[in-house]
Amino acid sequence: QKQWVDAIQTFQALMEKAEKETPFYIDVLFGLGCSQERSGRFDEAVATFQKLINLAPQHAEALNYLGYMFAEKGMRLEEAEGLVKRALALDQDNGAFLDSLGWTCYQLGRHREAEELLDRAIQAELRRKADGESITVIWDHIGDNAQKLGKMEKAQDAWKKALEARPGDKKIEAKLNLKSSQKP
């Protein structure tokens, strides 16, 4: 229900009751980290995910989530790349993980590599019939990266598909309006 502050309180209460290092405790840590990040508590989320990864170094979702958080902020990009590559080593066809690595490459200025990864990401997510949020984010990333490569037709197409997946998204509408107003 996207009530992240309430979720944080619930997860913190569950942590006090959960036995350390059990699968339930690990799940609670993951939920807590996600809720912290979604509520804007970035540093707390980083600490929670680092704690989780120390306890469960093969937790692919936590590795990816933390890596994507860094990539989204454009910080600690080499670390982000390492985290996401560890996640992909555990689940090589995961579209969300491919997107995270593609976005990290985008942030690092490696746009051709990003293009390949993002194209693979969208195909993987379409095959699994992913939810609208995931599809929207990947199409948006594809559009941004295509723009950097000077592939404006691909960028426009990707942003249109992102908007189809999440109608009314003002950020994506602005990208489409800006680009269409720049045509000669």
Side-chain angles (χ1 to χ4, degrees):
Q1 296 176 346
K2 298 184 180 183
Q3 297 188 13
W4 305 115
V5 175
D6 292 342
I8 290 169
Q9 293 171 352
T10 301
F11 284 121
Q12 287 172 331
L14 287 171
M15 280 182 59
E16 294 171 11
K17 297 175 184 175
E19 288 184 47
K20 302 279 189 238
E21 300 183 33
T22 63
F24 178 66
Y25 184 76
I26 299 299
D27 289 345
V28 170
L29 274 176
F30 185 77
L32 176 61
C34 294
S35 299
Q36 289 167 326
E37 185 270 333
R38 293 286 181 128
S39 69
R41 298 179 182 182
F42 182 83
D43 293 336
E44 291 175 37
V46 169
T48 299
F49 281 117
Q50 288 173 330
K51 181 177 182 177
L52 191 162
I53 291 166
N54 285 336
L55 292 172
Q58 302 296 307
H59 196 291
E61 289 80 11
L63 291 163
N64 179 68
Y65 205 111
L66 182 56
Y68 184 76
M69 284 174 51
F70 290 147
E72 190 66 8
K73 294 261 187 206
M75 62 186 288
R76 297 167 67 172
L77 294 173
E78 290 77 19
E79 183 178 354
E81 184 174 20
L83 289 163
V84 177
K85 282 183 174 180
R86 284 173 56 193
L88 273 166
L90 298 165
D91 187 357
Q92 65 186 6
D93 294 321
N94 186 305
F97 299 176
L98 289 163
D99 173 64
S100 295
L101 186 56
W103 194 241
T104 302
C105 289
Y106 171 88
Q107 296 285 42
L108 287 164
R110 298 183 343 228
H111 301 293
R112 295 207 189 292
E113 186 178 352
E115 181 176 39
E116 178 187 325
L117 289 161
L118 294 169
D119 288 346
R120 284 178 51 204
I122 197 65
Q123 292 308 313
E125 291 299 278
L126 291 172
R127 274 193 305 275
R128 77 172 189 94
K129 297 180 175 39
D131 67 10
E133 181 180 4
S134 176
I135 294 293
T136 301
V137 168
I138 297 170
W139 280 123
D140 189 29
H141 288 167
I142 289 170
D144 290 353
N145 191 68
Q147 179 185 23
K148 286 286 187 185
L149 290 170
K151 298 180 177 184
M152 293 312 299
E153 190 173 318
K154 181 175 182 176
Q156 288 279 316
D157 185 53
W159 289 325
K160 286 176 185 172
K161 289 177 180 173
L163 202 53
E164 288 171 15
R166 188 169 43 205
D169 186 303
K170 299 299 181 202
K171 182 179 131 192
I172 296 168
E173 285 177 353
K175 289 177 185 181
L176 282 167
N177 290 334
L178 175 68
K179 299 309 162 207
S180 62
S181 69
Q182 292 178 349
K183 289 182 181 177

